[in-house]
Amino acid sequence: MGKIAFLDLKQVNAPYMDSLKSAASAVVESGWYIRGSYVERFEKEFAAYSGYAHGVGVGNGLDALTLMLRASIELGRLAPGDEILVPANTYIATVLAVNAAGLVPVLVEPDEKTFNIDPTKLEAACSPKTRGILAVNLYGRLADMPAIWKFAEARGLLVFEDAAQSHGARFNSSAQSNAGAKSAAIKSAAVAYSFYPTKNLGALGDAGMVVTDDEELARVVRMLGNYGSEKKYVNRYRGVNSRLDEIQAAFLLAKLPHLDAWNERRREIAARYVREVCNPLLRLPEIPADPKEHVWHVFTLRTPDGKTRDALQKYLEARGVGTLIFYPIPPHRQQAYAASPEGDCALLPENPKFPIAESMAETVISIPVSQVLTDDEVSEIIGALNEFVC
Ligand SMILES: *Cc1c(COP(=O)(O)O)cnc(C)c1O
């Protein structure tokens, strides 16, 4: 058997080569490359697909996160220095975006079972300066949004989502993503997406989007991503240049119709892993009661300790199976946050330890789960995992 890559983007895009090439040709020949009809169409289609009224294309996922927070400040819904709760085991982009917007990230431990922010730990993380929660749907599983919305509503907090890993995940098998709320009043203020090439819906370069039901917020995000301007050469805000390219929107429009089928194939593979891997050294992730809440951006196992994890990674490498660690160093342990000026960042409050996030960083390992895997490859990976001894 040959090598099984963790994720081979050439393989991911190969079945759609004809439509990707004709999408590219159409844009090249159109003579219109920024803020045109492809972006407009993709914004409409992806916002509707995600269950929100408005979509604003931006340059990447980090900008989507930063600009939805900055727009909330410009509209007076948040103020510089406000504290925002974020999960301690997230990708650093979530935390960087909060800082970049002039807000203060406050880390909250994840739930061992879901890998997502633990709603029972929100209360203890709140201070009088807490104004929002930025939940992350990590590994493709929706965070416990109903519990988070309820907590936020009682406290008067804004809720945002980092959905960079969860395109197409849905509550209550609803036609809408994130439509678990009973009333429109409890829904996230805005949701940030990344279309980085490795994501479940990936562009052929960088791309991102903010979706929201709030027309005013959408308008300000759009201005901020275009130099703070709505009318040419009239600048209302100190904006940035972060726009979704026409060519990326055309690629994404060509790929979007296939996303549900890809996610379904990922669920099938994940279900086989959970059913067929029976090695006592390996703790498998939980399949949510409603499988639609998970789109398995990555399939993440845990080992009893860091030594076993590293041994497993070497072993799988030798068996030709690619793996990755999401993420080996949690944000609060990064050098980027080692010397935070007082008040710049509440990553290290009185209790600087995040034992759950730290233990996850040492013991998680992700195995291939993308839609391109064949049944035989999945069987081979299962066989390898079941034969692993330490
Ligand atoms: C990929 C990712 C981002 C950042 O997206 P980019 O498009 O790379 O800027 C943010 N948050 C999470 C959880 C991600 O996985």
Side-chain angles (χ1 to χ4, degrees):
M1 284 264 189
K3 270 183 115 54
I4 307 172
F6 180 76
L7 180 68
D8 179 346
L9 291 177
K10 201 168 161 179
Q11 245 184 319
V12 165
N13 290 316
Y16 311 98
M17 211 37 83
D18 288 348
S19 57
L20 293 172
K21 283 181 177 168
S22 59
S25 297
V27 174
V28 171
E29 283 164 21
S30 76
W32 194 280
Y33 308 118
I34 306 263
R35 283 160 68 88
S37 60
Y38 288 94
V39 167
E40 199 177 314
R41 249 187 71 206
F42 181 61
E43 287 176 339
K44 281 210 172 70
E45 287 191 20
F46 191 75
Y49 176 84
S50 305
Y52 284 83
H54 308 282
V56 182
V58 295
N60 54 65
L62 175 64
D63 287 353
L65 288 161
T66 307
L67 296 182
M68 76 182 174
L69 296 171
R70 272 201 64 190
S72 303
I73 295 174
E74 297 291 0
L75 288 167
R77 295 166 195 176
L78 293 173
D82 283 351
E83 292 180 2
I84 306 293
L85 308 183
V86 299
N89 61 325
T90 188
Y91 180 52
I92 198 166
T94 322
V95 185
L96 290 173
V98 176
N99 280 133
L103 301 160
V104 179
V106 174
L107 298 179
V108 180
E109 285 270 55
D111 179 331
E112 299 261 13
K113 266 173 53 186
T114 64
F115 294 103
N116 279 325
I117 195 165
D118 186 342
T120 67
K121 300 208 169 112
L122 296 172
E123 182 69 51
C126 280
S127 85
K129 289 170 87 180
T130 308
R131 294 291 304 132
I133 303 169
L134 174 47
V136 181
N137 304 319
L138 200 70
Y139 303 157
R141 180 175 184 161
L142 294 178
D144 188 352
M145 296 312 299
I148 293 166
W149 284 321
K150 196 166 157 222
F151 178 84
E153 200 182 28
R155 277 250 176 192
L157 306 180
L158 288 179
V159 179
F160 302 92
E161 281 170 74
D162 179 341
Q165 303 188 354
S166 63
H167 318 69
R170 296 168 198 290
F171 274 121
N172 300 336
S173 296
S174 160
Q176 301 187 324
S177 287
N178 305 332
K182 292 281 175 289
S183 75
I186 45 169
K187 214 173 162 188
S188 296
V191 180
Y193 283 94
S194 162
F195 305 107
Y196 185 77
T198 60
K199 308 294 186 185
N200 288 36
L201 178 62
L204 277 64
D206 277 313
M209 193 182 292
V210 175
V211 300
T212 177
D213 278 345
D214 183 336
E215 193 175 353
E216 217 181 353
L217 189 76
R219 195 175 146 213
V220 177
V221 170
R222 191 178 298 287
M223 280 195 260
L224 286 174
N226 191 37
Y227 294 106
S229 164
E230 203 164 37
K231 193 167 164 233
K232 211 168 170 66
Y233 308 129
V234 180
N235 301 83
R236 172 135 178 215
Y237 304 112
R238 295 181 190 181
V240 296
N241 175 353
S242 184
R243 301 173 296 220
L244 174 56
D245 285 340
E246 284 283 282
I247 199 159
Q248 296 304 338
F251 291 142
L252 289 163
L253 273 168
K255 293 179 77 175
L256 179 59
H258 306 286
L259 176 56
D260 283 338
W262 297 332
N263 284 342
E264 205 44 51
R265 174 64 181 154
R266 286 171 181 269
R267 285 190 193 103
E268 233 173 66
I269 297 167
R272 274 199 66 193
Y273 286 147
V274 170
R275 237 181 6 248
E276 297 176 43
V277 175
C278 52
N279 186 329
L281 284 172
L282 307 177
R283 170 137 57 117
L284 297 168
E286 179 193 76
I287 294 179
D290 180 353
K292 297 271 195 265
E293 288 177 24
H294 209 324
V295 292
W296 302 98
H297 172 60
V298 292
F299 187 97
T300 303
L301 308 157
R302 284 182 81 182
T303 56
D305 52 53
K307 242 183 75 209
T308 311
R309 193 269 306 273
D310 296 345
L312 176 63
Q313 188 167 38
K314 277 207 191 79
Y315 162 86
L316 287 173
E317 177 68 36
R319 297 274 307 238
V321 178
T323 59
L324 283 175
I325 310 297
F326 299 98
Y327 296 94
I329 307 171
H332 69 280
R333 291 284 184 201
Q334 296 286 356
Q335 197 181 348
Y337 282 108
S340 281
E342 198 67 35
D344 165 56
C345 178
L347 283 169
L348 303 169
E350 307 82 73
N351 174 10
K353 290 246 184 295
F354 298 95
I356 299 175
E358 290 184 7
S359 145
M360 282 177 179
E362 275 180 27
T363 59
V364 293
I365 178 168
S366 301
I367 59 175
V369 74
S370 90
Q371 68 271 9
V372 303
L373 292 182
T374 64
D375 289 340
D376 285 347
E377 285 173 327
V378 176
S379 300
E380 199 183 328
I381 294 167
I382 292 166
L385 288 170
N386 285 336
E387 285 162 29
F388 172 67
V389 286
C390 206

